[in-house]
Amino acid sequence: MEKKKYYSCHLRTHDRKWITVMALLAHVARGCSRIPKLQLEAALSVRFQSTLSHNDTKARRARELRPRRNYLLNDEVEQHRKSLLQQSPEVEEIPVQQAEANVPRDFRHVMPEFLPDPNPLYRDRVTEKLERMDMYRRRTCIDIPEFYVGSIMAVTMADHHAPGKQSRFVGICIQRSGTGLRADFTLRNVIDGQGVEVRFDMYGASLQKIEVLKLEQRLDDELFYLRDAAQEYSTIPFDFEPVPLPKGATVPVNSTKVKLNPRPWLERWERHELKGVEDLNLPEKKYRRARQVAKPWERWDLMKRQRESINEDEEESIMKETYMETESTRRARGRQKASLKKTR
């Protein structure tokens, strides 16, 4: 009987000269039983380890090249911002004494756009600081008064199509959203029987003047249900006279209950917890379905509340800085007006 030939296999552990495991398996399939089992297992282990090391190197390089978010610490950023003169050992750094500001409790509701977005994907402390500086600088050029959803406002903006190169729109504020330089608000009015809504960028360069004709609040955070209500709730005359509010008085809350038109509506308002709407007079099955899709447990969800808010210490520091900047801007504007009166 003819003897089968023996093929010797020399294993190489170097990554660039690894032996093909399929060749060993082919030898075993042909009946070459003289290849030891341990040698085959060693070849498989060498191939597997080399593949793991190669993939691990590629993954590590990919992680190093991938742009990382929020990896700059505040201390490191402030250290790199210091000039060479401040880093010199001969010069002692003089601490800046800032006056303690008594920030009102509800100041975060007056200027909510200064608070950063709680979504961690959009958090960047350097960008937020630069945006606040731009917002302070913009407020020195235009007076942005205090207003809330439900206030009656008038906005004058540049418009090269208008006769006087500017246009003025009067309406009721139905929404206020956005943070930073992306903050905006929406005004609604009924003109010639047609509902008109205009969204303005609060810190847009085309805005020339923002007036609050009547400062008040409503029971809901958004007034989109006015689209399905009678036109009388959204009609504001363009010659609306300003209603002054005594200094130091609290902002009044308008508790008007809006009666919606019959269905169909733009949204299923029975599924929203609306406080400023009268009874909708719907069938019981509509309210039963609204109770089925409701999520009442979110009111006590502490993790959800934590994700949708920022740290209290950070909020307090931002509001304190904003309050001091706005107060200094208000004083500078008052001194400028006094000087103009003297010159006249």
Side-chain angles (χ1 to χ4, degrees):
M1 189 168 110
E2 184 180 358
K3 294 183 179 180
K4 295 182 181 180
K5 296 182 179 181
Y6 173 76
Y7 295 92
S8 62
C9 298
H10 302 282
L11 299 179
R12 300 178 182 179
T13 58
H14 198 278
D15 291 340
R16 302 183 61 181
K17 296 181 180 180
W18 50 270
I19 146 179
T20 307
V21 180
M22 296 303 297
L24 292 174
L25 297 177
H27 284 297
V28 175
R30 294 195 198 103
C32 186
S33 60
R34 293 189 180 182
I35 299 179
K37 182 179 179 182
L38 295 176
Q39 193 173 3
L40 181 61
E41 293 179 354
L44 289 172
S45 63
V46 168
R47 170 64 181 137
F48 184 67
Q49 290 177 4
S50 62
T51 306
L52 280 181
S53 61
H54 179 66
N55 294 338
D56 182 61
T57 305
K58 289 181 63 177
R60 184 168 59 254
R61 291 178 180 176
R63 286 195 300 267
E64 292 175 356
L65 296 177
R66 188 184 303 127
R68 294 176 293 177
R69 293 179 180 269
N70 306 329
Y71 62 93
L72 291 178
L73 300 177
N74 291 338
D75 300 338
E76 295 181 1
V77 173
E78 295 297 334
Q79 182 179 1
H80 286 284
R81 282 179 177 176
K82 292 181 180 180
S83 62
L84 297 177
L85 182 61
Q86 292 178 338
Q87 296 177 2
S88 177
E90 292 102 11
V91 181
E92 296 183 358
E93 186 176 356
I94 302 175
V96 181
Q97 300 293 337
Q98 295 184 355
E100 293 292 333
N102 297 324
V103 184
R105 290 184 177 181
D106 57 345
F107 189 70
R108 66 177 307 275
H109 302 288
V110 178
M111 298 182 180
E113 68 273 6
F114 283 94
L115 294 177
D117 195 333
N119 191 345
L121 296 178
Y122 303 104
R123 290 302 308 272
D124 192 340
R125 299 181 185 277
V126 178
T127 305
E128 294 167 3
K129 179 67 175 179
L130 295 177
E131 284 191 358
R132 288 199 299 270
M133 293 173 61
D134 291 341
M135 294 161 70
Y136 299 147
R137 194 176 299 110
R138 177 58 179 164
R139 282 180 173 268
T140 59
C141 303
I142 181 175
D143 184 18
I144 302 179
E146 174 186 359
F147 69 94
Y148 304 93
V149 173
S151 301
I152 300 177
M153 305 172 59
V155 178
T156 304
M157 61 180 302
D159 186 3
H160 61 278
H161 297 290
K165 301 300 180 181
Q166 63 181 10
S167 60
R168 186 173 181 267
F169 186 81
V170 180
I172 179 174
C173 181
I174 63 174
Q175 185 196 29
R176 183 173 180 176
S177 61
T179 58
L181 295 175
R182 300 172 300 280
D184 58 72
F185 59 95
T186 305
L187 300 185
R188 175 179 174 83
N189 201 346
V190 177
I191 302 174
D192 295 335
Q194 181 67 34
V196 180
E197 295 180 2
V198 183
R199 185 181 65 85
F200 298 97
D201 293 331
M202 192 177 303
Y203 294 92
S206 60
L207 296 187
Q208 297 182 350
K209 190 177 183 181
I210 300 178
E211 305 173 75
V212 177
L213 304 180
K214 186 177 182 180
L215 182 64
E216 63 180 7
Q217 293 181 347
R218 300 295 284 265
L219 299 177
D220 300 305
D221 296 334
E222 294 179 348
L223 303 181
F224 287 124
Y225 54 79
L226 292 180
R227 300 171 179 174
D228 293 324
Q231 295 184 355
E232 60 184 13
Y233 294 104
S234 303
T235 305
I236 309 296
F238 272 71
D239 56 351
F240 188 87
E241 293 294 334
V243 179
L245 186 68
K247 188 176 180 179
T250 58
V251 180
V253 178
N254 190 348
S255 58
T256 302
K257 296 284 188 177
V258 177
K259 184 178 181 180
L260 300 184
N261 297 327
R263 298 176 67 234
W265 298 326
L266 295 177
E267 292 189 30
R268 299 175 180 177
W269 299 116
E270 70 275 6
R271 300 187 181 184
H272 299 264
E273 298 180 0
L274 301 179
K275 302 177 182 178
V277 175
E278 293 184 1
D279 189 10
L280 302 178
N281 297 324
L282 295 177
E284 181 60 27
K285 64 177 182 179
K286 296 291 184 180
Y287 295 106
R288 191 184 310 115
R289 179 56 182 169
R291 288 192 294 269
Q292 291 176 357
V293 300
K295 300 178 181 179
W297 59 84
E298 291 185 352
R299 186 179 306 175
W300 295 278
D301 191 348
L302 299 181
M303 294 301 298
K304 183 175 182 294
R305 189 183 307 174
Q306 180 70 18
R307 290 192 300 268
E308 294 179 353
S309 60
I310 62 175
N311 190 9
E312 294 182 358
D313 297 336
E314 185 179 5
E315 176 183 343
E316 183 180 358
S317 62
I318 292 175
M319 287 292 99
K320 182 177 179 180
E321 173 192 345
T322 304
Y323 182 77
M324 295 178 64
E325 290 290 341
T326 52
E327 284 296 314
S328 62
T329 303
R330 184 181 60 83
R331 295 193 189 97
R333 188 177 287 112
R335 290 193 297 267
Q336 184 179 3
K337 290 181 179 179
S339 61
L340 289 176
K341 288 181 179 180
K342 291 181 179 180
T343 55
R344 292 178 181 176

